[in-house]
Amino acid sequence: MMKHSVIITPEHVLVDGNPLEHNESGSTMLTDLYRKYIGDYPKFFKMDTLSKLGFIASELLLNIEGNRDFEPREDRAVILFNRNASLQADTHYQSTIQNPDNFFPSPAAFVYTLPNIVTGEIAIRNKYFGETSFIVIENYDEKIIEKNLRLAFQDPITTSIIGGWVDCEDEEHFEAKIFLMEK
Amino acid sequence: MIVCVAHNIISPLGSTTAENYAAVKSGKSALRKYNGLWSLPEPFVASLLDRNAFTDDRYTIDEQIVITSISKALENTDIDVKSSKVLFIISTTKGNVFLLDKRENGFPQERVRLGMMAREVTKHFGNPNEPIVVSNACISGVCAQIEAMRYLENGEYDYVVVCGVDVQSAFIVSGFQSFKALSPEECKPFDANRCGLNLGDAAATIIYTKKDEVSENEWVACRGSIRNDANHISGPSRVGEGSFRALRVALGDLKPEKLALINAHGTATLYNDEMESIAIERAGLAGVPVNSLKGYYGHTMGAAGVLETIISMQAVDDHNILGTRGFDTLGVTHPLDISNQNRATEKRAFIKLLSGFGGCNAALLMEKGGLK
């Protein structure tokens, strides 16, 4: 069963279908949303755009769910999908190694060159010991996503999933469509 | 039950499963020291395919080894891969990431997207379904097999083709170097003098189907589990939380004495191997023999979970627990039963264990003949 949804694009934010007020658009919008609706998690500023997007979307989703006690739990999974994997972080990291005369690879940039880091960020924030997974498909396809999430309930402990689409092509082009699914 | 019907490994140690297993059994490794390769300022040790052997200019090296590996796995089957009842699942961390390097050319930029790389593969085989790419860091290969098990349990597909692949590049090697995670020599999993991992190229394929009855020689993927440490994005839990929980679910009610071995991740980084020893002990599995295959192949990333599952199936078929190449003196705080020599076993089950960046961990229980 699907409960609650959050949609974020560079132009608008919808929480359970209702527009959420925000001042900025594009790349500064995620920071604006963080300051307005979250604000107690400075690790946010270290994240790449994909992780910021998934983090904000999950925070808005969990705020509607309520009862946020941050108690460790294993019964909630985080399973996200997208088209571009970690392309924005990959492009950034490539720029640090492209020129042999200006070669400065950094672990902080490299770690985000994996799309599943965003699922880890959400698990860390909420103390979720459950399943985390990241799947790439070439086009957004609701049928594939919903089928895949329903199958994830075959796990003997999983009873709910934060799931959906979290995609980021670059700092100005991103889209999150996530929801809470219960067994 | 979800049954393995075919498999293949393409690596620097061979291009069939049999060649690979024979090489590993005899202690061979393709780890070599590279100095100045890809203009990288620091030397590194890795297990690499000969780049000159790939001459098909329609496909990248990743795509070529995936296509070859799947073709070879299909050779002795009558599976019609053009059927909509066959699903392809690709496991990779970085796919064609080398295409981001502006010095590389000859392929459209869109092929850097994992979905486009996977579509090249399904297009090659004439399969009509949208391929699924699992990109869950270093645990991808086990996650892809768990995905396959779930789809097959659901009954929608007759076969799922799982192929794990990664090919090393300046991108990946420099990244691990920046983390100070690479060993300057051949890696030493679980050893007191271990000082980091080596990277490796490979593609490995397993084809699964669902059967009601299995013969005693068929391998069954019994239970898989993915769990997060909820601790740190680039370092494992100090209490092995995610691996412990993944092991607990994968083991289920199976008695530990049924296990021939745990094929650990065993990357030979200080933190990974220590974490695994804690998780294995917490899961009550300290008495089960443990090995790591990284001394033969290096860390093959997206291929590792598939490749190491196949090699472990072959070893158990051969009543053999493979030695951990590079290991000499135990260097983790929790006692594990590890040897650098091959050892005999008559047991018929094993667990494949993996962990990766993003705090993710995965465990998969495989048993010959299925759980009785």
Side-chain angles (χ1 to χ4, degrees):
Chain A
M1 192 184 73
M2 216 92 98
K3 273 178 75 177
H4 307 304
S5 68
V6 169
I7 296 176
I8 302 177
T9 71
E11 292 79 39
H12 63 264
V13 184
L14 295 174
V15 174
D16 276 348
N18 305 310
L20 186 73
E21 194 188 316
H22 58 94
N23 300 328
E24 310 280 336
S25 63
S27 59
T28 51
M29 177 176 148
L30 297 174
T31 307
D32 176 47
L33 288 168
Y34 169 79
R35 291 193 200 283
K36 202 174 248 162
Y37 298 104
I38 300 144
D40 63 343
Y41 199 69
K43 271 189 207 167
F44 171 81
F45 294 101
K46 288 188 186 169
M47 297 177 192
D48 72 331
T49 310
L50 181 69
S51 288
K52 282 181 176 164
L53 176 66
F55 175 78
I56 298 277
S58 67
E59 286 292 302
L60 296 176
L61 188 73
L62 294 168
N63 284 346
I64 343 169
E65 189 193 26
N67 292 325
R68 296 195 67 183
D69 56 11
F70 299 97
E71 282 297 309
R73 59 190 289 189
E74 189 174 342
D75 63 337
R76 175 159 288 170
V78 182
I79 303 176
L80 299 175
F81 299 75
N82 80 6
R83 166 189 173 90
N84 285 296
S86 52
L87 183 63
Q88 188 236 354
D90 293 356
T91 307
H92 169 61
Y93 180 77
Q94 180 65 38
S95 73
T96 70
I97 60 165
Q98 184 68 43
N99 182 352
D101 299 324
N102 187 20
F103 186 86
F104 57 100
S106 95
F110 184 65
V111 72
Y112 285 102
T113 66
L114 291 164
N116 67 301
I117 296 298
V118 58
T119 64
E121 295 281 16
I122 295 168
I124 292 166
R125 162 68 160 171
N126 298 290
K127 299 195 177 65
Y128 292 161
F129 293 130
E131 174 166 333
T132 55
S133 199
F134 205 99
I135 291 167
V136 176
I137 44 177
E138 179 56 17
N139 290 321
Y140 177 81
D141 185 327
E142 217 163 74
K143 275 194 192 142
I144 292 179
I145 294 171
E146 286 186 29
K147 159 67 66 64
N148 196 285
L149 294 177
R150 273 201 303 278
L151 295 179
F153 287 114
Q154 287 179 24
D155 183 282
I157 293 177
T158 303
T159 58
S160 66
I161 304 172
I162 294 176
W165 185 259
V166 179
D167 190 39
C168 169
E169 194 177 341
D170 56 46
E171 283 182 10
E172 302 295 334
H173 299 90
F174 51 80
E175 183 181 31
K177 270 184 172 180
I178 69 164
F179 45 83
L180 193 61
M181 196 183 220
E182 292 184 345
K183 199 170 182 173
Chain B
M1 282 179 275
I2 308 305
V3 178
C4 168
V5 291
H7 46 72
N8 168 268
I9 297 170
I10 305 284
S11 82
L13 292 179
S15 53
T16 64
T17 296
E19 284 172 19
N20 273 275
Y21 176 66
V24 170
K25 188 181 178 185
S26 68
K28 287 201 179 79
S29 170
L31 292 171
R32 304 281 180 273
K33 190 153 199 161
Y34 293 90
N35 209 330
L37 185 64
W38 306 323
S39 310
L40 286 168
E42 283 176 61
F44 61 96
V45 174
S47 165
L48 302 181
L49 292 161
D50 175 9
R51 299 297 190 269
N52 297 320
F54 299 93
T55 51
D56 188 340
D57 57 13
R58 294 170 301 165
Y59 298 113
T60 66
I61 297 179
D62 295 65
E63 292 158 3
Q64 288 185 55
I65 60 174
V66 168
I67 288 168
T68 307
S69 180
I70 295 173
S71 301
K72 285 175 180 272
L74 286 166
E75 262 169 20
N76 297 316
T77 73
D78 55 4
I79 299 168
D80 174 16
V81 286
K82 293 187 172 62
S83 162
S84 62
K85 303 285 272 180
V86 177
L87 177 68
F88 281 63
I89 300 180
I90 305 293
S91 155
T92 187
T93 62
K94 296 314 306 165
N96 289 327
V97 73
F98 76 97
L99 292 176
L100 288 179
D101 189 330
K102 294 177 183 63
R103 291 161 289 194
E104 299 283 347
N105 52 45
F107 294 97
Q109 271 294 304
E110 65 179 21
R111 292 271 270 283
V112 82
R113 290 203 303 273
L114 304 179
M116 288 304 286
M117 178 183 113
R119 279 184 175 184
E120 286 299 317
V121 174
T122 51
K123 199 165 72 186
H124 174 88
F125 288 101
N127 181 270
N129 294 316
E130 184 68 47
I132 284 171
V133 182
V134 177
S135 192
N136 218 7
C138 301
I139 71 166
S140 301
V142 164
C143 295
Q145 292 178 73
I146 293 172
E147 287 283 323
M149 292 160 72
R150 290 175 181 172
Y151 277 102
L152 288 165
E153 277 298 342
N154 195 46
E156 189 181 339
Y157 298 102
D158 293 340
Y159 295 96
V160 179
V161 176
V162 176
C163 185
V165 66
D166 266 302
V167 173
Q168 300 304 322
S169 61
F171 186 104
I172 301 167
V173 174
S174 66
F176 276 97
Q177 283 177 330
S178 77
F179 258 100
K180 311 269 179 245
L182 293 193
S183 166
E185 49 198 271
E186 292 181 19
C187 67
K188 300 178 170 116
F190 296 103
D191 190 80
N193 295 315
R194 70 187 183 280
C195 53
L197 59 81
N198 307 135
L199 293 164
D201 296 335
T205 303
I206 299 186
I207 304 175
Y208 283 113
T209 193
K210 185 180 178 181
K211 289 185 180 180
D212 296 329
E213 304 267 326
V214 295
S215 75
E216 62 173 4
N217 289 323
E218 287 181 302
W219 276 98
V220 176
C222 300
R223 272 191 296 273
S225 172
I226 306 163
R227 291 293 182 267
N228 203 285
D229 291 333
N231 176 58
H232 197 277
I233 55 168
S234 60
S237 158
R238 288 186 186 267
V239 287
E241 198 63 46
S243 281
F244 156 64
R245 289 173 189 259
L247 280 170
R248 191 170 59 176
V249 174
L251 185 68
D253 55 6
L254 186 80
K255 292 199 167 58
E257 51 267 30
K258 291 274 188 186
L259 291 171
L261 72 143
I262 298 167
N263 178 236
H265 195 30
T267 58
T269 65
L270 280 176
Y271 293 118
N272 174 81
D273 294 5
E274 174 66 13
M275 181 280 288
E276 285 189 298
S277 78
I278 296 168
I280 288 167
E281 185 176 68
R282 277 184 75 187
L285 299 172
V288 178
V290 171
N291 69 3
S292 159
L293 300 174
K294 299 299 191 287
Y296 305 96
Y297 290 102
H299 185 351
T300 57
M301 298 168 44
V306 185
L307 183 156
E308 294 173 6
T309 299
I310 298 170
I311 293 288
S312 298
M313 288 192 289
Q314 290 281 295
V316 173
D317 282 343
D318 192 27
H319 308 292
N320 181 16
I321 300 166
L322 287 161
T324 298
R325 189 178 181 278
F327 171 81
D328 183 44
T329 308
L330 191 70
V332 289
T333 53
H334 295 252
L336 294 179
D337 178 8
I338 305 183
S339 169
N340 54 19
Q341 299 298 309
N342 294 340
R343 293 182 280 175
T345 184
E346 292 304 318
K347 297 178 182 176
R348 302 165 61 86
F350 69 89
I351 287 180
K352 173 73 209 119
L353 182 62
L354 287 175
S355 57
F357 279 169
C360 54
N361 305 266
L364 175 64
L365 172 66
M366 301 289 295
E367 191 173 43
K368 205 173 170 181
L371 291 174
K372 298 294 182 301

